[in-house]
Amino acid sequence: MERPLLVYTTFPDAATALSIGEALVRARLVACVNVLPDMQSVYSWKGTVERATEVVAILKSREGLAEALGAALKERHPYETPIILHLPVAGADPDTAAWIREETSGRT
């Protein structure tokens, strides 16, 4: 049986994360998006150390949608190089896994 997949990404603000998250839910690429506001980031970008306030988004999907979800996220994302990290799920409650599969049904 296909396993759930968590995708970690960041956005510049909650409004952007929620808007893109809703589009991905409506497209049935994800069952849910959790948005965690006010993360402080320090990162290297094009040779410079930067600081920013961002939001984290954790997307709940399934492994078979990883490629389509990544493409849809890149298409909508405001960052030049968005962070898209696939976090494989070693195990899941059967009801949770079934809900994710049901909410992303109709997709390959």
Side-chain angles (χ1 to χ4, degrees):
M1 186 170 292
E2 187 176 14
R3 292 188 302 183
L5 174 70
L6 298 178
V7 175
Y8 173 96
T9 191
T10 58
F11 291 96
D13 55 66
T16 301
L18 290 167
S19 177
I20 292 172
E22 183 174 332
L24 297 173
V25 169
R26 290 184 183 280
R28 300 185 73 85
L29 288 166
V30 299
C32 175
V33 177
N34 298 123
V35 177
L36 308 168
D38 297 325
M39 176 182 70
Q40 299 299 307
S41 298
V42 178
Y43 55 93
S44 179
W45 178 247
K46 297 185 178 183
T48 304
V49 175
E50 304 279 344
R51 289 182 181 219
T53 300
E54 298 180 291
V55 301
V56 171
I58 301 171
L59 293 68
K60 298 171 189 165
S61 189
R62 53 189 171 87
E63 288 180 336
L65 294 175
E67 189 175 318
L69 174 54
L73 190 53
K74 280 185 174 182
E75 178 182 306
R76 293 167 170 83
H77 209 289
Y79 289 170
E80 181 180 335
T81 305
I83 296 300
I84 302 173
L85 300 174
H86 296 181
L87 308 173
V89 176
D93 174 79
D95 293 335
T96 298
W99 169 72
I100 290 171
R101 279 191 307 277
E102 182 177 323
E103 294 305 319
T104 58
S105 65
R107 302 293 302 205
T108 306

